[in-house]
Amino acid sequence: RAKELGRNHFRYYTQSLSERTDKRLKTDAALREALSLNQFSLHFQPIIDLTSCTVSHAEALIRWHHPEMGMVSPEYFIPLAEENGLIHEIGLWVLREACRCHKEWKSQGLDLQKISINVSSIQFQKANLADAFKTILEEEAMEAHRIDIEITERYLMDQTERNIHYLNTLKKAGHTITVDDFGVGYSSMSYMKRLPLDIIKIDRSFISDIPEDRNDIQISQAIISLSHNLGYKATAEGVEIVEQFNFLRETLCDYAQGYYFSPPVPAHHFITCVEQLNARLTNEIAPSEIDK
Ligand code: C2E
Ligand code: MG
Ligand code: MG
Ligand code: MG
């Protein structure tokens, strides 16, 4: 009986494995096409300066619109692109597109301080990442300080001299560096003082249960003061309710982003989004400020 069960299990396993491989191969091919067929786009989520309560910059988030699969989540295809190596090309496309959007908005009257782009740790495996970035910035006539680079802790954990050197090169070129999703996974305090960082972005899992969760309140406060003591700024992501917004202002967090302010929006919608959001925040903040 056990044998029979085992055999069935085996058959089931191989079937699902080949199905998975099949799907994987199809998605790989589709991903390769996506760049040439222009199926990627960037959406932008505004990031709020909590001192002035106005939009200060934005995070670029890639979207893939496939004609049959519909919208494919980056949570799904970025890991695939990291495995098959396409992330290198996609990453350069993201930088170029971010530069173009920034310039387009500028021509329409919005001079955004900077755009944050997500850079995968795999992209750093190519020795010439900094050169490739520099070339694109030159071609697009964009200053490096207009592009903030978000990296995850996974990259930082692997603290080889090589990685530190690459980050220093990008930093020297003029980019700012943000650690994304801080506090989950591979958190290590030791890298924080060794690396040329600018902003620590608190993972949204610490924000989502504020104000109910006392522990999350403590952890967020600790990350914010740690950031400040090391000379970095702090951003909170995943801010969804007004209580979280108020908490972060009281805790002197520097920046915030999340659905409470705005979801990521298509580039052509971004200026309107910023204008409406700034107006909304002025109305929300002004009366309570007068009360005090
Ligand atoms: P991330 O960099 O941590 O981006 C934040 C994610 O949280 C985004 O998901 C955003 O839409 C979502 N988000 C924003 N505000 C809220 C909120 O208030 N509540 C909740 N629940 N979620 C919120 P998205 O766009 O699906 O991206 C997922 C992840 O995919 C990103 O996480 C990032 O790791 C990766 N990714 C996205 N674009 C790129 C890219 O251009 N390059 C690379 N390498 N990775 C990217
Ligand atoms: Mg990010
Ligand atoms: Mg994040
Ligand atoms: Mg994330």
Side-chain angles (χ1 to χ4, degrees), residues 269-286:
H269 203 73
F270 186 69
I271 292 186
T272 315
C273 168
V274 169
E275 285 168 354
Q276 288 175 351
L277 182 53
N278 281 337
R280 194 190 110 197
L281 289 172
T282 308
N283 284 331
E284 275 174 29
I285 300 309

Side-chain angles (χ1 to χ4, degrees), residues 176-231:
T176 53
I177 314 280
T178 292
V179 184
D180 204 354
D181 303 343
F182 183 80
V184 289
Y186 308 101
S187 230
S188 149
M189 296 296 145
S190 68
Y191 69 69
M192 291 196 60
K193 57 170 198 224
R194 285 195 68 202
L195 292 173
L197 308 176
D198 295 278
I199 302 175
I200 304 293
K201 198 184 261 196
I202 309 167
D203 191 72
R204 71 162 183 261
S205 60
F206 298 114
I207 306 298
S208 60
D209 294 330
I210 292 177
E212 286 80 20
D213 192 320
R214 287 295 312 162
N215 292 336
D216 284 343
I217 288 185
Q218 294 296 329
I219 292 168
S220 301
Q221 280 172 338
I223 298 175
I224 292 163
S225 58
L226 175 69
S227 306
H228 290 165
N229 290 337
L230 290 169

Side-chain angles (χ1 to χ4, degrees), residues 6 46 77 103 115 219 233 252 263:
F77 74 83
K103 277 191 293 186
I115 292 176
I219 292 168
K233 305 265 189 200
L252 304 180

